[in-house]
Amino acid sequence: MLMAMYSGRPVIPAEDVARDFFELSTEKFIRKVSSGHIALPLIRMEASQKCAKGVHLNDLAAYLDKQRAAALKECEQLNGNGRS
């Protein structure tokens, strides 16, 4: 689904990820990634601090899968489905 959403691009611009998944400005998204609040690898297109940044499609998919697994676990705990 992500591949179709981003026209098969392997690296998604940080501004697109920030907008589409976190509802954050690009700057705030990059700060949260840099501080470790969002555990997502950020790719720099050059060595410069001001260069274009993006997120690899596979890394975003893994992050979303991890968030989903955590949500499912929490839901099961809240609903008592994990009890013996």
Side-chain angles (χ1 to χ4, degrees), residues 40-53:
L40 200 53
L42 200 57
I43 297 171
R44 293 180 188 275
M45 296 301 156
E46 300 175 20
S48 165
Q49 288 290 325
K50 296 189 179 207
C51 69
K53 296 168 185 71

Side-chain angles (χ1 to χ4, degrees), residues 18-30:
R19 179 193 63 236
D20 295 345
F21 293 96
F22 296 93
E23 296 182 6
L24 296 171
S25 68
T26 304
E27 295 77 22
K28 191 162 189 172
F29 171 71
I30 291 170

Side-chain angles (χ1 to χ4, degrees), residues 2-73:
L2 286 175
M3 200 169 233
M5 184 174 176
Y6 292 105
S7 305
R9 292 184 289 175
V11 178
I12 306 156
E15 53 269 11
D16 293 349
V17 175
R19 179 193 63 236
D20 295 345
F21 293 96
F22 296 93
E23 296 182 6
L24 296 171
S25 68
T26 304
E27 295 77 22
K28 191 162 189 172
F29 171 71
I30 291 170
R31 277 197 307 271
K32 285 186 170 233
V33 169
S34 297
S35 69
H37 286 95
I38 297 175
L40 200 53
L42 200 57
I43 297 171
R44 293 180 188 275
M45 296 301 156
E46 300 175 20
S48 165
Q49 288 290 325
K50 296 189 179 207
C51 69
K53 296 168 185 71
V55 175
H56 194 279
L57 187 77
N58 291 339
D59 294 332
L60 180 57
Y63 177 86
L64 294 173
D65 287 345
K66 184 177 176 184
Q67 295 302 106
R68 179 181 182 268
L72 286 172
K73 183 178 178 180

